[in-house]
Amino acid sequence: MINTMECAVDAQSLISISLRKIHNSRTQRGGIKLHKNLLVSYVLRNARQVYMNEKYAEIYRMQQYEEVMTVCNEIQELNPLDLAEDCEEQRGDCCGNGGVSEPASLCCALLPVSQLVAVQSAHMQTPSACSAPLSLQSDEVCKETEPSFYQSCCAEAYPVSNCEFSPVNNLHCNKTTVLDLDTHVVTTVENGYLHQDCCASLQQCCQGAQYSGKKRKVDFEYYISDIEEVPDFTPCKRAKFEDCSYANSEHLDTSNISNLISIFGSGFSGLVSRQADFEQALALNGQFCSKQALASLGAWTRAIVAF
Amino acid sequence: MAGAGGGGNDVQWCFSQVKGAIDDDVAEADIISTVEFNHSGELLATGDKGGRVVIFQQELESKNQPQCRGEYNVYSTFQSHEPEFDYLKSLEIEEKINKIRWLPQKNAAQFLLSTNDKTIKLWKISERDKRPEGYNLKEEDGRYRDPTTVTTLRVPVFQPMDLMVEASPRRVFANAHTYHINSISVNSDCETYLSADDLRINLWNLEITDRSFNIVDIKPANMEELTEVITAAEFHPNQCNTFVYSSSKGTIRLCDMRASALCDQHSKLFEEPEDPSNRSFFSEIISSISDVKFSHSGRYMMTRDYLSVKIWDLNMESRPVETYQVHEYLRSKLCSLYENDCIFDKFECCWNGNDSVVMTGSYNNFFRMFDRGYRQDVTLEASRESSKPRSVLKPRKVCTGGKRKKDEISVDSLDFNKKILHTAWHPQDNIIAVATTNNLYIFQDKL
C-alpha cells in the first residue's frame, strides 16, 4: 500500500502534474521519450489508485450515514401500535437479565445487523413513536443499568442526556449509534446530523486507504438513480470495493496504461479529445482523472450528502 | 596494480585540471553527455549535446617530475553528429551524443563508436606528422603543373610537419532503430558490437553497415501492454557470447547468444524484491536502472538506480551482494524531484581498475566513491572553488537531520541543477574524469 503520508502533494495534484508532463513531452525536441512517459504513467496510476481509495472510503462513509438515516426514518414512520409487539419482544433483551453486557437496541434491531453491530450508548434512543408508550418501561430499562454501561467503542461513557428519556423530547432527540466492524467507525446519528466518534487509535482505520470491507457491496445504482447532476455517469454496477480497487487492479492498470499508450500513439489530440468524455466518465471506470473529472466527482459526493 | 583504495584514508584525491568554459551561463550545446577513457587511459573522450566529440590526450610523464602524471590536453575535436529531421514522423533527431565507446587499438590509429538517438558512427582518429613533398606534377600548394613544363623527375620524400590529428567517419550505422538508442557496447571479439534502444537490441559487425541482427525485442504485440523498456546493455568483458541488459522495472537479464538467435528468453534474471515499506507513488521511477557495468574481471556487475548502487554476483540472481546508498536523504524529497524532473536523471557508474572501488555522481556537483573492501565511502565535490592545482579534495557531508554541523550542507541547500551524471575512471591509475554540466574535472590521487 502506498504510503500517502510521504509527501504533501496530494494525489490529485500528482495527477495534474503528470498529465502536464505528458502534454509537454509532445513538444520536446527529439520526440516523445518512451521511457520517461512510461514512468509518468506509473505515477499517474499510483496517484489515481490512492485518489480512488479515498473517494471510495468517503462514499462508503456517506452510504453508512444514508443507511442509518434510512432506518431511523423508517422507524419514525412506523405505527406505534405495530412497534409495541416488537418492543415487547425486545424487552427481554433490554432488561431481562441484569447481567446482559450490551442490551440490544430497539433501533439497532431494525438495522441491517449482518454488517453492523449496534453498540448501546447513553444516546441510544428508541424511536419516538416506539418509546412513547414505553416511556415508563424504558425508564426502567435505563434505571436498571448504569449510564456508564452504555459505551461506544471508544470506551468513553457518553454523558447521559435528559432528553433521551423525556417523552416530550422524544420527537426531537433522535440518536442512533452504530459500530461498523469493517472500518471500526462509530457513527452517531443525532437529529439528522452525522457524528463519527472514532478513537484516536482507530483513526487510521477510518482512512479510506485502509479500507478492507471486502464483504461490503456498494450499489452505486441506488444513488445514481436519484441524482441528476451526473446524468452520464456509468457506475460500477453492484461493484464490490475489491472489484473496483484491489482485485482487478491489474486489469485497471493495464487498461489505464493502455489508455495512456494509445494516447501516446495518437498524440496529445487523443488526450484532449477524451477530456470531454472524461468529464462525464469518472475514474470509477478506470478512465483518466482530469481536473474536471475530479471536480465533478466532488460535486457528486456533495450531492450525496445533501440527499 | 594501481587503482586500489579510493574511499578510505589511504587515498587522497587532488584536483588536477578542469576543462570547459568558466561562464555560469551554460550553453545547452556545451552540456557534456558522455565521458569515456580508452583502453590504455591515454585518451579521454567526451561528447556533448551539440554533437561534438572532444578527445584529450595525456602527456607523457615528464622526466623532470617522474612522480607527477601527465596532464590531459585537447587532442582532437570534431563534429560527430548533426541534427536531423525525420520527415516521415515529423520528428527532429537530436545530435546529442548519448554514448562513446573506444575500440581496442590494433594499429597506430584509434577507433571509437559514437551514437546519438538514431545513428551510430565509427570514427578513425589518426595522426599525421609527415607529409610528402616534391611531387613532379603538383606544386607545393596543390595546384597541378603543366606537364610540358616538367623537365626533370624527382622522387617525393616525406618531410616532418606539425602534428595533425584527423578524425574521419569510417562507417555509418543508420536506420536500424525505431526508438532512442541508449547504449552501445563493443564485443570482446573486436568484430561485433551491440546497440540498444528502448525496446530492441541489435548486433552489428563493425565492417557491415547495411544490416544488423536483432537479438532482443521486448516490444509487445499491442503497445498498450507495454510495461517496461530497456535502459542499458553491455557485453561481457571476456565472454563474447554473453551480454546483459537492464530494464525500467529494476531487473537485469543476462543472455547467451549461443542459446538462440533471438535472445528474448534470458539465461539469468537478476532482481531484488521491493521493500513494501518503501512503497510510494514513485517506486517505479526510482527502481528503474539507469546504468549497468560489468567489472573488469567479469565476475560482477554494477547497476545504478536513482538512489543506490548495487553490486551483483553473476552467480546469484536473487539479490545483490552489495548495496550502497548514494543519497538516501532524497527519498523524502521525491515529490519535489518529480515536479522538477530531476527524478528522471540517469546517473552512470564506473569501476576502478582493479574493481575495488566504484564511483557515481549525485547533485550539487557531488560524486561518491564506495570502497568495497574497506566498506568506506566518501563524498567529494567538483567545483571551481576547490580547483587549485594539486589541492586535496575535502570530503563533503550532507546533513540529513538535526543540527547542522560546520562544513555540512543541508539537504534543502543542495543545488539540483548541478548534477554529475557522467564519470569515468582510468583503467590503470587513480585518475578520474568527472563531468559537471559543462565542465570536465580531472582528479588524481596524491602521489
Side-chain angles (χ1 to χ4, degrees):
Chain A
M1 182 60 62
I2 291 174
N3 180 14
T4 59
M5 303 300 290
E6 175 183 305
C7 62
V9 181
D10 60 4
Q12 193 164 342
S13 299
L14 270 182
I15 290 170
S16 58
I17 290 170
S18 302
L19 290 176
R20 187 166 61 244
K21 287 184 187 298
I22 294 172
H23 170 51
N24 291 339
S25 71
R26 288 276 302 165
T27 57
Q28 281 178 349
R29 192 166 171 252
I32 296 175
K33 291 179 174 53
L34 185 62
H35 183 200
K36 180 180 178 182
N37 282 276
L38 182 67
L39 298 178
V40 170
S41 72
Y42 276 114
V43 175
L44 198 58
R45 179 201 66 174
N46 296 337
R48 174 190 161 277
Q49 281 180 348
V50 170
Y51 181 83
M52 290 297 300
N53 290 339
E54 291 174 358
K55 281 298 175 186
Y56 281 141
E58 187 179 340
I59 292 167
Y60 178 68
R61 284 193 294 270
M62 292 302 162
Q63 186 204 22
Q64 271 196 301
Y65 165 71
E66 285 295 326
E67 288 186 359
V68 168
M69 285 303 297
T70 303
V71 170
C72 291
N73 292 337
E74 288 174 355
I75 291 172
Q76 283 184 338
E77 294 168 3
L78 283 175
N79 192 318
L81 296 177
D82 293 332
L83 275 178
E85 297 176 1
D86 296 331
C87 293
E88 286 287 339
E89 294 171 1
Q90 297 296 332
R91 229 185 347 157
D93 298 330
C94 283
C95 55
N97 293 326
V100 171
S101 57
E102 290 184 348
S105 158
L106 287 170
C107 208
C108 291
L110 299 170
L111 289 171
V113 294
S114 60
Q115 306 298 335
L116 303 174
V117 171
V119 178
Q120 289 286 3
S121 74
H123 296 286
M124 189 60 65
Q125 176 60 46
T126 57
S128 57
C130 173
S131 63
L134 297 175
S135 57
L136 292 175
Q137 292 173 339
S138 58
D139 281 339
E140 290 176 359
V141 168
C142 297
K143 285 175 185 175
E144 289 178 5
T145 54
E146 293 295 325
S148 61
F149 197 65
Y150 299 89
Q151 291 191 355
S152 71
C153 69
C154 298
E156 288 180 345
Y158 282 111
V160 177
S161 170
N162 293 328
C163 77
E164 284 79 13
F165 306 104
S166 166
V168 178
N169 292 332
N170 279 344
L171 289 170
H172 305 286
C173 286
N174 185 16
K175 291 184 180 181
T176 305
T177 303
V178 296
L179 166 66
D180 186 282
L181 283 179
D182 294 325
T183 62
H184 300 277
V185 173
V186 176
T187 305
T188 302
V189 179
E190 179 180 9
N191 291 337
Y193 291 96
L194 180 69
H195 300 275
Q196 285 191 342
D197 307 312
C198 291
C199 296
S201 61
L202 297 175
Q203 272 298 329
Q204 284 191 340
C205 298
C206 304
Q207 300 299 327
Q210 301 297 330
Y211 174 71
S212 59
K214 292 189 176 182
K215 299 178 182 177
R216 192 74 180 167
K217 291 187 178 182
V218 178
D219 187 2
F220 290 99
E221 280 186 306
Y222 172 76
Y223 298 102
I224 299 306
S225 60
D226 295 324
I227 296 174
E228 297 177 359
E229 285 82 353
V230 188
D232 296 328
F233 173 74
T234 309
C236 297
K237 297 183 179 180
R238 304 299 303 178
K240 300 180 182 180
F241 272 111
E242 64 265 34
D243 289 339
C244 287
S245 58
Y246 296 108
N248 286 352
S249 61
E250 287 188 2
H251 171 70
L252 290 175
D253 293 343
T254 303
S255 64
N256 202 26
I257 293 177
S258 69
N259 291 332
L260 196 66
I261 297 299
S262 62
I263 286 174
F264 291 157
S266 61
F268 183 70
S269 58
L271 185 63
V272 172
S273 65
R274 291 193 183 196
Q275 260 191 331
D277 298 329
F278 290 163
E279 289 174 4
Q280 306 297 329
L282 302 179
L284 290 168
N285 281 350
Q287 304 286 339
F288 276 111
C289 291
S290 64
K291 275 263 184 187
Q292 293 81 353
L294 298 174
S296 65
L297 182 61
W300 176 63
T301 55
R302 285 193 293 276
I304 290 287
V305 173
F307 181 72
Chain B
M1 183 181 186
N9 296 327
D10 50 348
V11 174
Q12 286 184 304
W13 291 97
C14 306
F15 170 81
S16 176
Q17 297 172 273
V18 58
K19 308 289 188 185
I22 305 176
D23 300 337
D24 290 335
D25 188 20
V26 179
E28 185 163 346
D30 295 334
I31 296 174
I32 298 173
S33 54
T34 184
V35 180
E36 187 80 0
F37 278 101
N38 75 333
H39 292 272
S40 65
E42 180 195 3
L43 299 177
L44 175 62
T46 63
D48 61 24
K49 288 192 83 173
R52 293 164 299 190
V53 173
V54 180
I55 301 175
F56 302 91
Q57 184 188 39
Q58 188 181 27
E59 286 180 356
L60 294 174
E61 291 180 8
S62 170
K63 293 179 181 177
N64 296 331
Q65 290 181 314
Q67 298 300 318
C68 185
R69 296 194 184 91
E71 287 190 343
Y72 283 85
N73 297 316
V74 176
Y75 179 65
S76 175
T77 303
F78 57 93
Q79 186 75 32
S80 172
H81 288 73
E82 296 278 1
E84 295 176 50
F85 194 80
D86 185 339
Y87 295 97
L88 197 60
K89 299 178 182 177
S90 297
L91 288 177
E92 189 175 5
I93 301 171
E94 281 187 288
E95 67 276 27
K96 177 170 75 83
I97 307 299
N98 292 335
K99 282 292 189 302
I100 289 174
R101 288 290 182 264
W102 290 92
L103 270 63
Q105 189 174 13
K106 289 183 178 178
N107 48 41
Q110 301 279 355
F111 289 87
L112 62 82
L113 288 169
S114 65
T115 183
N116 66 349
D117 285 341
K118 297 290 185 182
T119 304
I120 308 132
K121 293 185 181 180
L122 175 67
W123 290 87
K124 176 183 178 183
I125 296 96
S126 54
E127 295 180 356
R128 188 193 295 270
D129 60 357
K130 295 186 286 290
R131 66 173 178 180
E133 291 180 1
Y135 283 100
N136 295 290
L137 296 177
K138 274 196 306 186
E139 302 287 353
E140 294 302 325
D141 57 3
R143 286 181 298 124
Y144 282 94
R145 292 173 62 184
D146 184 359
T148 57
T149 62
V150 177
T151 55
T152 60
L153 286 177
R154 55 182 176 172
V155 177
V157 293
F158 277 100
Q159 298 292 340
M161 57 175 278
D162 293 336
L163 178 66
M164 188 170 66
V165 180
E166 296 176 324
S168 58
R170 307 300 291 181
R171 303 280 188 275
V172 177
F173 307 91
N175 304 318
H177 286 279
T178 306
Y179 303 95
H180 294 160
I181 297 173
N182 52 58
S183 304
I184 49 174
S185 178
V186 182
N187 202 344
S188 54
D189 62 7
C190 301
E191 290 185 5
T192 57
Y193 76 95
L194 65 79
S195 59
D197 65 24
D198 291 324
L199 297 178
R200 298 190 178 99
I201 300 177
N202 293 332
L203 181 68
W204 301 82
N205 185 297
L206 286 165
E207 301 293 333
I208 301 170
T209 61
D210 60 352
R211 76 194 75 156
S212 68
F213 291 101
N214 175 245
I215 54 176
V216 173
D217 189 345
I218 66 169
K219 181 180 179 181
N222 184 2
M223 276 295 280
E224 295 184 353
E225 297 169 357
L226 179 72
T227 57
E228 65 178 334
V229 297
I230 298 170
T231 54
E234 191 177 60
F235 265 119
H236 192 276
N238 305 322
Q239 301 168 10
C240 59
N241 55 282
T242 306
F243 67 94
V244 295
Y245 68 92
S246 60
S247 82
S248 56
K249 278 192 172 179
T251 62
I252 310 102
R253 288 173 173 82
L254 184 143
C255 300
D256 188 336
M257 293 193 292
R258 299 170 300 184
S260 65
L262 193 60
C263 299
D264 282 356
Q265 297 295 325
H266 55 264
S267 298
K268 292 190 179 184
L269 175 66
F270 299 84
E271 186 177 16
E272 184 179 28
E274 181 192 358
D275 183 4
S277 63
N278 282 335
R279 184 101 182 104
S280 74
F281 289 114
F282 313 104
S283 293
E284 288 82 6
I285 298 183
I286 63 174
S287 64
S288 175
I289 293 175
S290 55
D291 194 19
V292 61
K293 290 274 175 47
F294 275 105
S295 64
H296 293 89
S297 64
R299 166 79 185 271
Y300 300 97
M301 65 177 176
M302 167 169 53
T303 59
R304 176 71 155 99
D305 51 64
Y306 189 66
L307 296 179
S308 66
V309 164
K310 297 179 181 178
I311 311 292
W312 301 79
D313 187 326
L314 292 191
N315 299 317
M316 187 166 75
E317 303 169 52
S318 56
R319 58 179 173 81
V321 291
E322 297 156 33
T323 301
Y324 302 103
Q325 300 300 329
V326 180
H327 36 220
E328 181 67 16
Y329 46 80
L330 295 183
R331 191 180 289 275
S332 58
K333 308 288 182 186
L334 293 180
C335 279
S336 306
L337 295 168
Y338 179 72
E339 287 187 61
N340 62 19
D341 272 1
C342 283
I343 203 173
F344 301 105
D345 288 334
K346 297 181 182 179
F347 292 94
E348 295 178 2
C349 52
C350 61
W351 298 83
N352 73 335
N354 64 358
D355 301 333
S356 61
V357 185
V358 296
M359 175 170 64
T360 188
S362 180
Y363 293 104
N364 207 69
N365 280 349
F366 288 171
F367 58 98
R368 302 260 283 145
M369 289 183 184
F370 302 95
D371 191 314
R372 301 175 62 210
Y374 291 99
R375 289 288 174 170
Q376 292 174 339
D377 62 88
V378 66
T379 304
L380 302 173
E381 181 180 4
S383 68
R384 292 275 179 175
E385 285 74 27
S386 56
S387 306
K388 295 176 184 174
R390 290 183 294 278
S391 62
V392 176
L393 290 182
K394 187 177 175 184
R396 303 305 306 266
K397 195 161 174 60
V398 177
C399 174
T400 57
K403 195 175 180 181
R404 187 176 67 88
K405 297 177 185 175
K406 187 185 175 185
D407 293 337
E408 283 188 355
I409 182 168
S410 66
V411 179
D412 296 324
S413 302
L414 295 174
D415 187 345
F416 291 98
N417 292 320
K418 295 181 180 177
K419 57 193 79 172
I420 292 178
L421 302 176
H422 313 286
T423 59
W425 204 309
H426 192 283
Q428 276 107 33
D429 298 334
N430 271 344
I431 303 173
I432 56 175
V434 173
T436 59
T437 306
N438 65 329
N439 289 147
L440 183 72
Y441 287 79
I442 299 173
F443 301 103
Q444 300 179 1
D445 63 340
K446 188 175 182 181
L447 294 174

